Amino acid sequence: MIAGWFTGDGEGFRLLGTRCSACSTVFFPREDTHCRNPHCPGGRLMEAPLSRRGHVWSYTDSRYRPPSPYVTDRELPWVPYTLIAVELAAERLVVLGQAAPGVTVADLTVGTEVEVVPGVLHEDAETTWTTWQWRPTGAGV
Amino acid sequence: MTGDVAVLGAGMHPWGKWGRSFVEYGVTAARAALADAGLEWRDIGSVVGADTVRGGYPGYVAGATFAKALGWQGTRVTSVYAACASGAQAIATARAQILAGLADVVLVVGADAAPKGFFRPAGGDRPDDPDWLRFRVLGATNPTYFGLYARRRMAVHGDTLEDFAQVKVKNAALGARNAYARYRRAVTAEEVAASAVVADPLRLLDICATSDGGAALVLAGLDFARRHGAGDAVRIRAVSTVTPHFPNTVLDLPDIATDSAVAVSPAPETFRESIARAAYEEAGVGPEDLSLAEVYDLSTALELQWYEDLGLCGAGEAVKLLRDGSTAPGGRIPVNPSGGLASFGEAVPAQAIAQVCELTWQLRGAAGDRQIPGARVGMAVNQGLFGHGSAVVAVR
Ligand SMILES: [Zn+2]
């Protein structure tokens, strides 16, 4: 579904973006055709792992079941999840992601340090859809 | 001003959940605008429709759809899709045709029959569509983005939930005076606080609903307006349709990430600020000249953000403006005298046109018991998904 957006596991898990060889701009989700910097003469776009850690730019949660194409089991009661927008200092961009299970808005403040971890978006009998999640560093959740 | 066009007519279909076709809403609004202008459909040289999108197909080709429903008469026709900015781009198209001499008088129509519940992308697996991706990968609905912006304002500027609620209280009181609004009842801060949280920290009454609705304008060149006995008509002086500048560093719907600022420093102004500035520059006015503003209050917190983006106050000062009553009727710069999206809900292709209907009625002095006395200059501002800017300046 989102091939090539992340790689590795455990401590080695990383989001994957691309970086322009001419202007160094980083793209996430990955941009594989043309550099989108209008001042750039155009370079090659090379895969680049993003920083593991960043700081919370903002956060919210989803108290109602989102519509499709989000996949949920309608037989089960809805459990809200948290969304975190994270500033990555080295790449100078903000990446949105779901929080790791158990992290609620009460665990967060703007500026909190978080790290990227592998997670499960949804699974059914045949398929497990993996994703990235943000988790506060040093937190016991 | 050579860039001016006259607003000869304005009309709407009431907002609500009516369960009928968008064509019916658009035609009702169009007929109301034509009657307001004192013109017949046969007098119209061009029709511009603002598209809605259903099943990935834009609006069943809205311009021609409205023309067919009104009766084919061989008019020039255009259909415009720019998400929430569709209405403003329809107005911009009509204005450009008039200024280019391609048409003397143009009918602009936008209408929608909104789906129930959250907006969602069209069906099928479409991983090249950022709107599909944010739903599929994150379940990030529109309200979750509004929640992110609201929480960010609370952290950076110290806005409170009570401040957000007061925006709803203000707009609901105004919507109660507007026969076209979907919600026509005053709301208290306690009711906002008691409504369910949708996306922390925002509650149901902080977030605009989806609605059906329609709006239309009849625009004309100034020579036509004078010949028609409407030389003193309200005029549209500027329409801003700018894109963001790279790098866009404020997380925007429907994106999963911002642009990187590694290679290029961000512009000193945000996208929303640039939308307003482009309109001010084209109109030759500034925020101090505004008598009123209609802003795209998808959430209560977002209305506050617009105060700053329009230059009505400095960064972080929006709550002060709200609290001292500056943006309420009787204040220095009333915002959303129509009641805003808080009272109307979103009927996407109609909304920017509806904003200009309100400017027109206010500048004519015909806004009834929500009239802003002595209104001379109004701005309507909006932001369309995927980087569509939209602002209109109207003057009397
Ligand atoms: Zn480049």
Side-chain angles (χ1 to χ4, degrees):
Chain A
M1 156 177 90
I2 46 171
W5 284 24
F6 47 81
T7 188
D9 43 32
E11 292 291 300
F13 184 79
R14 291 285 192 287
L15 287 173
L16 290 177
T18 52
R19 182 184 292 271
C20 174
S21 64
C23 74
S24 298
T25 293
V26 178
F27 296 99
F28 184 85
R30 57 189 302 140
E31 180 69 65
D32 285 299
T33 49
H34 302 287
C35 177
R36 287 191 279 107
N37 170 6
H39 311 287
C40 178
R44 285 185 304 115
L45 292 162
M46 299 171 299
E47 190 164 278
L50 305 189
S51 301
R52 281 192 69 225
R53 293 186 169 192
H55 292 89
V56 174
W57 182 81
S58 193
Y59 56 96
T60 186
D61 59 11
S62 198
R63 303 285 179 100
Y64 290 84
R65 193 188 302 271
S68 65
Y70 192 68
V71 179
T72 64
D73 186 344
R74 293 189 167 271
E75 302 294 308
L76 299 177
W78 175 245
V79 180
Y81 56 82
T82 302
L83 283 168
I84 313 180
V86 179
E87 268 185 300
L88 302 181
E91 293 81 5
R92 296 196 64 187
L93 53 66
V94 172
V95 177
L96 187 59
Q98 292 188 347
V103 177
T104 72
V105 291
D107 302 316
L108 299 168
T109 56
V110 169
T112 299
E113 190 187 57
V114 294
E115 62 186 357
V116 71
V117 293
V120 172
L121 182 63
H122 182 67
E123 52 192 337
D124 62 22
E126 294 93 44
T127 314
T128 298
W129 287 274
T130 55
T131 190
W132 75 94
Q133 293 173 339
W134 296 110
R135 182 178 68 188
T137 56
V141 290
Chain B
M1 284 275 176
T2 54
D4 284 10
V5 298
V7 183
L8 296 187
M12 281 195 210
H13 184 289
W15 259 235
K17 289 273 183 163
W18 303 103
R20 297 196 282 269
S21 159
F22 82 99
V23 184
E24 181 173 342
Y25 308 136
V27 168
T28 299
R31 291 192 188 284
L34 287 164
D36 186 44
L39 288 166
E40 301 290 334
W41 162 232
R42 294 186 307 279
D43 302 326
I44 297 298
S46 171
V47 59
V48 183
D51 296 357
T52 182
V53 170
R54 290 291 172 272
Y57 194 59
Y60 311 104
V61 198
T65 305
F66 297 132
K68 181 181 182 184
L70 288 159
W72 296 128
Q73 50 99 331
T75 185
R76 182 185 293 270
V77 62
T78 310
S79 296
V80 175
Y81 181 70
C84 287
S86 297
Q89 295 219 355
I91 292 168
T93 300
R95 174 174 177 251
Q97 290 179 350
I98 291 165
L99 295 178
L102 297 173
D104 285 334
V105 55
V106 184
L107 174 66
V108 179
V109 190
D112 205 359
K116 189 172 157 49
F118 292 117
F119 283 125
R120 68 188 72 183
D125 274 6
R126 291 179 295 106
D128 56 347
D129 171 3
D131 201 36
W132 184 89
L133 279 173
R134 53 118 169 188
F135 278 96
R136 179 65 186 88
V137 178
L138 299 173
T141 60
N142 290 6
T144 60
Y145 285 82
F146 309 153
L148 291 171
Y149 305 149
R151 182 56 70 181
R152 178 80 185 167
R153 282 197 65 85
M154 292 173 78
V156 175
H157 298 313
D159 295 8
T160 66
L161 297 179
E162 291 72 26
D163 296 322
F164 298 157
Q166 286 306 320
V167 175
K168 176 70 175 187
V169 170
K170 170 181 74 71
N171 289 352
L174 288 157
R177 306 177 198 175
N178 192 336
Y180 293 108
R182 175 176 179 188
Y183 300 105
R184 301 197 56 208
R185 189 178 69 78
V187 168
T188 65
E190 292 71 27
E191 287 174 290
V192 179
S195 65
V197 174
V198 175
D200 172 273
L202 297 176
R203 287 159 169 76
L204 195 59
L205 293 182
D206 284 300
I207 294 170
C208 83
T210 61
S211 289
D212 296 1
L217 295 165
V218 176
L219 305 181
L222 300 187
D223 288 346
F224 182 99
R226 275 189 287 271
R227 289 199 305 276
H228 187 62
D232 63 346
V234 169
R235 297 172 181 202
I236 288 175
R237 182 149 289 173
V239 187
S240 152
T241 59
V242 295
T243 70
H245 283 89
F246 180 91
N248 193 11
T249 57
V250 179
L251 188 67
D252 250 345
L253 280 82
D255 294 331
I256 287 173
T258 63
D259 294 332
S260 162
V262 161
V264 182
S265 293
E269 62 183 8
T270 63
F271 177 37
R272 275 190 300 271
E273 289 172 321
S274 74
I275 296 169
R277 181 187 46 78
Y280 285 136
E281 281 182 2
E282 190 169 288
V285 303
E288 66 283 359
D289 298 311
L290 297 183
S291 312
L292 70 144
E294 286 282 313
V295 308
Y296 216 56
D297 57 321
L298 294 165
S299 80
T300 50
L302 193 60
E303 173 166 321
L304 295 172
Q305 186 67 48
W306 278 117
Y307 297 176
E308 297 165 18
D309 298 335
L310 260 57
L312 305 181
C313 61
E317 294 172 354
V319 160
K320 182 169 168 288
L321 216 60
L322 176 78
R323 286 183 187 160
D324 72 17
S326 295
T327 58
R332 177 169 66 76
I333 168 67
V335 175
N336 282 332
S338 70
L341 294 176
S343 304
F344 275 74
E346 269 195 285
V348 171
Q351 194 62 43
I353 299 170
Q355 288 180 317
V356 177
C357 287
E358 178 68 12
L359 295 187
T360 301
W361 293 324
Q362 289 285 349
L363 294 172
R364 284 177 181 172
D369 58 0
R370 55 178 203 286
Q371 180 65 45
I372 308 304
R376 305 295 299 177
V377 181
M379 179 184 263
V381 66
N382 163 346
Q383 178 185 350
L385 214 64
F386 314 113
H388 291 105
S390 149
V392 177
V393 175
V395 301
R396 185 67 190 268

